[in-house]
Amino acid sequence: MGKHTDQRDRTLCLTRLLYEETDEKHPLTMTQIIQRLQDKGVPAERKSIYRDLAAMNKQGFPVEYRPGKLGGWYASGRPMSLAELQAVIDAVAVYRWLPSALRQRLLDKLTAFFPTGQREQLRRPVSLSHQGAGDPEEVRRALDRIHTAIQTKRALSFVPLDYGPDRQPVAAGPAQVVSPKGLLWWEEGYHLLGWDHRAKHLALYRPDRMTQVLVTGMPALGPDPDPALWTATPFGVEPNRRERVCLRFSPSLTGEILDRFGSAAELTAEDNSLTVTADVILGPAFWAWLSIHGEEATLLAPAWAANLWATRYRPRPYRQTPRRRQVV
């Protein structure tokens, strides 16, 4: 029994050593492997280690040898590439609905997937924006129940939440029952698309403004819309306000136009300007964005919207009223 136990200890210790400390750029020679194992209290010899390496390859833990002066043995088969793992770590680092302690634990566990020599480049500090008033832990629980309701095709009940002048959460109305149709990610936050059982229409709800979220025994009701249609157009999430517009703008705004309207926008060059044709949500966010740019952007179509822009929303140039001369 003692011999078999030593063999298992050695094989497991060797596997952990290679996966924690080696990669193609940081291999270990056979002499280094034997010394590392002995430092851990695991006796080993070359023949037994070669057998262990062959067993690792056979059982799906690929190990390779890099020849050369700085060569050696290293673990080559990992669940994710460095680029894939970096993408996951970056996403966790900026995800706003994680308590800071949980975020730190997740980042520590993710970086442990790669050897110590590469862990420094996996951790790239990011400054997060304002987190809002919602409790991340409660929002995560609400999201879990929303997903459960979607998967089981059940209705949700919840109490809408708001905040008073003292910054304490308060109920913003009676309990509501909705059938969840999908989660939208818009402007760095979640929005639940749901069918209101009482009002009989689709509406948006913020999970960070929901409390006492429960999955009911009632079956889901209402139509099954495509949630992607609610986020496919800039300046809002109200498909009933979707319009195809044409704008003339200064070439200096080209970068911002592409950021706002996306690659689907149609750009046409003119003499000293450009025109863009794209779908937008024609609502307050669009008018506010357009007014910020003043004379650098002009709405051309549709005609009714262009007229509305010219008569109501377009900022007027500032004119100083002449002071009246006082008569003494």
Side-chain angles (χ1 to χ4, degrees):
M1 281 297 293
K3 181 177 180 181
H4 291 301
T5 301
D6 290 344
Q7 291 175 351
R8 287 193 293 267
D9 288 347
R10 184 190 64 242
T11 305
L12 291 172
C13 191
L14 175 62
T15 303
R16 183 170 184 174
L17 172 67
L18 293 177
Y19 272 81
E20 286 187 350
E21 299 189 23
T22 69
D23 56 47
E24 188 174 4
K25 296 181 179 180
H26 305 88
L28 291 176
T29 65
M30 184 58 67
T31 301
Q32 289 173 323
I33 290 175
I34 293 174
Q35 185 60 51
R36 297 289 181 87
L37 292 175
Q38 289 179 348
D39 292 343
K40 297 177 182 294
V42 179
E45 57 182 15
R46 287 178 178 268
K47 289 184 179 181
S48 61
I49 293 177
Y50 281 125
R51 287 195 298 267
D52 291 338
L53 293 172
M56 289 174 63
N57 278 313
K58 183 179 179 180
Q59 297 301 323
F61 296 93
V63 179
E64 295 184 27
Y65 179 77
R66 193 186 83 179
K69 184 177 180 180
L70 301 177
W73 295 93
Y74 65 94
S76 60
R78 298 183 182 275
M80 291 184 285
S81 68
L82 183 62
E84 292 170 338
L85 184 58
Q86 184 65 76
V88 174
I89 288 175
D90 287 348
V92 171
V94 299
Y95 182 61
R96 63 181 298 187
W97 298 118
L98 281 177
S100 57
L102 177 57
R103 177 183 288 106
Q104 187 60 46
R105 291 199 301 272
L106 284 173
L107 292 174
D108 290 341
K109 290 179 179 179
L110 287 169
T111 54
F113 276 102
F114 263 72
T116 53
Q118 293 189 11
R119 291 178 188 175
E120 284 295 325
Q121 58 184 305
L122 287 171
R123 298 296 292 271
R124 302 188 288 201
V126 178
S127 296
L128 295 178
S129 61
H130 176 60
Q131 296 295 294
D135 177 15
E137 192 62 38
E138 185 168 351
V139 174
R140 286 200 318 112
R141 287 195 295 268
L143 292 173
D144 288 342
R145 289 167 185 168
I146 289 171
H147 281 295
T148 299
I150 293 173
Q151 293 163 3
T152 59
K153 299 185 183 301
R154 297 290 178 180
L156 277 175
S157 70
F158 66 92
V159 174
L161 186 67
D162 205 344
Y163 289 85
D166 58 355
R167 302 185 182 184
Q168 295 302 309
V170 294
Q176 296 180 247
V177 178
V178 302
S179 292
K181 302 299 179 180
L183 274 173
L184 316 179
W185 182 260
W186 181 65
E187 290 193 345
E188 301 303 315
Y190 285 109
H191 293 75
L192 169 65
L193 175 60
W195 175 263
D196 189 316
H197 284 216
R198 182 179 301 169
K200 307 297 182 186
H201 63 67
L202 289 168
L204 292 173
Y205 308 90
R206 287 176 52 177
D208 59 324
R209 293 292 187 270
M210 298 163 59
T211 187
Q212 302 179 37
V213 182
L214 297 173
V215 181
T216 72
M218 292 183 287
L221 303 177
D224 292 320
D226 182 3
L229 293 177
W230 290 65
T231 57
T233 310
F235 301 108
V237 283
E238 300 173 85
N240 59 320
R241 290 190 175 189
R242 183 170 179 167
E243 292 283 351
R244 191 158 187 82
V245 301
C246 180
L247 292 168
R248 181 185 294 119
F249 62 94
S250 167
S252 63
L253 295 179
T254 302
E256 183 174 349
I257 291 291
L258 292 175
D259 288 341
R260 283 282 185 170
F261 293 86
S263 58
E266 300 175 10
L267 295 181
T268 304
E270 296 184 354
D271 293 337
N272 297 314
S273 63
L274 296 173
T275 61
V276 58
T277 303
D279 292 331
V280 303
I281 300 300
L282 212 55
F286 173 77
W287 298 121
W289 174 83
L290 194 58
S291 64
I292 287 173
H293 296 294
E295 298 298 323
E296 290 189 299
T298 302
L299 182 60
L300 303 178
W304 69 267
N307 181 63
L308 187 64
W309 162 249
T311 58
R312 182 182 302 180
Y313 292 108
R314 188 170 188 168
R316 303 299 179 189
Y318 173 74
R319 294 181 180 178
Q320 186 175 3
T321 304
R323 297 178 60 184
R324 293 182 178 181
R325 181 178 297 177
Q326 292 183 347
V327 178
V328 179

